[in-house]
Amino acid sequence: MHIEPLQKWVEGYKKPLLIAGPCSVESVNQFTDTVTGFAGLPVDFVRGGIWKPRTRPGSFEGHGASGLDWVDQVGEEHPLEFATEVATAEHVREALAHGVKLMWIGARTTVNPFNVQQIADAVKGRDVAVFIKNPINPDLALWKGAIERFSKAGITKLGAIHRGFHSFQTTKYRNVPFWQIPLELKSELPELPLICDPSHIAGDSELIQEVAQRALDLDYDGLMIESHCAPEKALSDAKQQVTPEHLKEILNALQLRSSSFSNEQIKDELSSIRQQIDQVDREILEAIATRMNLVSRIGDYKKENNVAIFQISRWKEIFKSRPKWGEAMNLDPEFTMELYRQIHQQSVKAQTSIFNQEDEEIL
Ligand code: PEP
Ligand code: MN
């Protein structure tokens, strides 16, 4: 996959990339007031929804193409790079006609490969950046598939936006982050810029700071934050939008992290700690292999004596004691429990294969 690094195409790029702006472009006044509030802030792209996918009919669905005229009008006095969501080929055509250089695919569109392909066909051969939000369901393959469709259409200014995942349960955040999913994407496509959208993860202006910081701690390349001149009057996502002043406070409070160590002495120490970790990992695997051998011996006894593999009392005992043992060693009981669930699964698998061997021999 050929991906152009942000510093090659974002003017004056300095990590983190910052995309900020209202959830929706609502009027010339609202857009002007928001954009003027950004004076002095390192905003690379001003975002604004023109076409809004809403859960239920009757909600504000964006102003459509006239919103793009307003953006142009405001841009004449306050030069800006505009970014918006596109959900159909027609949206792409209108956005391109207005010189939009960055488009993103919304979470509700990424789930549908037909829609994604139509949009990819519409941007084919055009010099435009496309960022792909994660699908609303936690499906890494679907997210990657959408990114691949744009890459195949010749788009090289690509990026992924992590906006969290829908959950039926109520959680602290509007969308569950499942940080391990974007991190897996990053490890599979390390050159793909990864942007966090703390606004749609948090769903609450008071929680943006902590989510944004978490993203920077995980070495994300940028942030997309919803900001509105008067959030309480916003026609969509009122609760999660921050005023430009609040955005400034958030940015000032953020701790920037560098991707790697620069100090040689720290590098040496780090390498020595990593060697120790390698050694410990070997010991962990050796201990697990020893345990599996013991499990197999028990499997032989069970087979010989015609006893069932699954001994519920034994596993109850293990699940009760191990988290306690771990806790005494400062390990999170939830983590120990999860670890033993995996070990249990593997043990049952090993003993099942011993039982199946016997069947084959009898046959
Ligand atoms: C948005 O960015 O305003 C939006 C609708 O986002 P998402 O697709 O993440 O829900
Ligand atoms: Mn929004």
Side-chain angles (χ1 to χ4, degrees):
M1 202 177 281
H2 177 55
I3 296 164
E4 270 181 73
L6 293 174
Q7 55 269 27
K8 278 248 178 105
W9 60 272
V10 178
E11 221 183 286
Y13 172 68
K14 200 169 154 270
K15 194 173 171 181
L17 179 82
L18 180 60
I19 305 170
C23 179
S24 316
V25 174
E26 300 172 4
S27 66
V28 172
N29 282 346
Q30 171 250 14
F31 198 64
T32 308
D33 289 353
T34 306
V35 167
T36 49
F38 290 163
L41 298 185
V43 176
D44 297 293
F45 287 89
V46 177
R47 64 152 283 157
I50 295 292
W51 301 279
K52 301 299 301 173
R54 305 312 297 275
T55 305
R56 302 188 57 202
S59 315
F60 172 64
E61 291 185 330
H63 284 293
S66 47
L68 289 171
D69 293 333
W70 300 339
V71 170
D72 289 346
Q73 198 182 319
V74 175
E76 274 169 29
E77 235 187 280
H78 311 279
L80 57 95
E81 286 295 350
F82 185 62
T84 198
E85 171 178 345
V86 288
T88 67
E90 185 53 27
H91 295 166
V92 170
R93 275 188 282 278
E94 303 217 43
L96 286 173
H98 283 266
V100 174
K101 303 232 183 65
L102 193 158
M103 303 175 185
W104 77 83
I105 309 304
R108 289 161 195 78
T109 305
T110 308
V111 291
N112 188 325
F114 288 124
N115 284 9
V116 171
Q117 191 57 53
Q118 278 167 5
I119 300 168
D121 291 342
V123 291
K124 198 171 183 155
R126 306 300 294 254
D127 182 25
V128 64
V130 181
F131 283 13
I132 298 103
K133 283 199 172 193
N134 66 257
I136 48 179
N137 52 324
D139 185 339
L140 175 60
L142 202 52
W143 196 3
K144 247 184 101 186
I147 295 162
E148 280 163 7
R149 286 177 198 276
F150 287 99
S151 178
K152 279 192 189 314
I155 300 296
T156 54
K157 296 170 183 169
L158 282 169
I161 303 177
H162 172 216
R163 53 78 77 202
F165 303 88
H166 274 193
S167 164
F168 185 58
Q169 278 153 352
T170 13
T171 62
K172 175 179 181 189
Y173 298 134
R174 177 179 175 190
N175 288 292
V176 192
F178 290 134
W179 295 97
Q180 69 274 25
I181 296 178
L183 291 182
E184 204 163 320
L185 180 72
K186 199 176 168 68
S187 71
E188 286 180 30
L189 297 172
E191 67 285 16
L192 181 73
L194 178 61
I195 312 298
C196 180
D197 172 348
S199 305
H200 288 87
I201 291 178
D204 180 333
S205 57
E206 290 309 311
L207 300 173
I208 309 284
Q209 181 88 55
E210 63 181 54
V211 178
Q213 185 62 57
R214 181 82 194 270
L216 295 192
D217 292 349
L218 294 170
D219 202 25
Y220 276 51
D221 300 286
L223 299 167
M224 181 197 252
I225 301 181
E226 284 190 340
S227 178
H228 188 293
C229 55
E232 69 287 351
K233 292 192 201 138
L235 298 180
S236 57
D237 288 349
K239 199 162 166 247
Q240 71 197 30
Q241 302 206 58
V242 294
T243 59
E245 295 73 41
H246 189 177
L247 177 63
K248 188 175 180 182
E249 283 167 27
I250 291 173
L251 296 175
N252 285 341
L254 281 177
Q255 301 264 344
L256 301 183
R257 319 275 187 205
S258 49
S259 303
S260 53
F261 293 90
S262 49
N263 179 311
E264 286 306 315
Q265 196 192 340
I266 294 181
K267 270 190 196 164
D268 284 350
E269 278 170 24
L270 193 79
S271 140
S272 138
I273 296 172
R274 285 194 170 139
Q275 276 171 18
Q276 292 176 54
I277 289 178
D278 288 350
Q279 183 52 33
V280 172
D281 280 348
R282 261 184 190 287
E283 287 165 14
I284 291 174
L285 291 173
E286 276 163 11
I288 293 176
T290 307
R291 190 185 196 286
M292 289 306 292
N293 286 337
L294 295 169
V295 164
S296 297
R297 276 174 58 191
I298 292 192
D300 290 337
Y301 279 115
K302 285 181 183 167
K303 177 190 72 182
E304 276 165 32
N305 296 287
N306 235 357
V307 171
I309 291 175
F310 190 59
Q311 305 267 297
I312 191 155
S313 54
R314 170 69 179 153
W315 274 103
K316 265 193 173 163
E317 206 280 301
I318 288 182
F319 282 137
K320 210 169 128 198
S321 57
R322 276 41 169 186
K324 277 194 200 147
W325 296 356
E327 208 171 1
M329 301 172 204
N330 273 337
L331 291 175
D332 178 355
E334 252 314 301
F335 162 74
T336 312
M337 195 75 170
E338 188 48 45
L339 183 64
Y340 273 89
R341 264 189 217 114
Q342 296 289 332
I343 289 177
H344 182 211
Q345 228 178 48
Q346 199 52 32
S347 306
V348 170
K349 216 165 141 183
Q351 294 190 350
T352 307
S353 93
I354 289 172
F355 272 47
N356 287 345
Q357 268 169 24
E358 184 200 38
D359 288 349
E360 279 161 24
E361 278 160 23
I362 290 169
L363 283 172

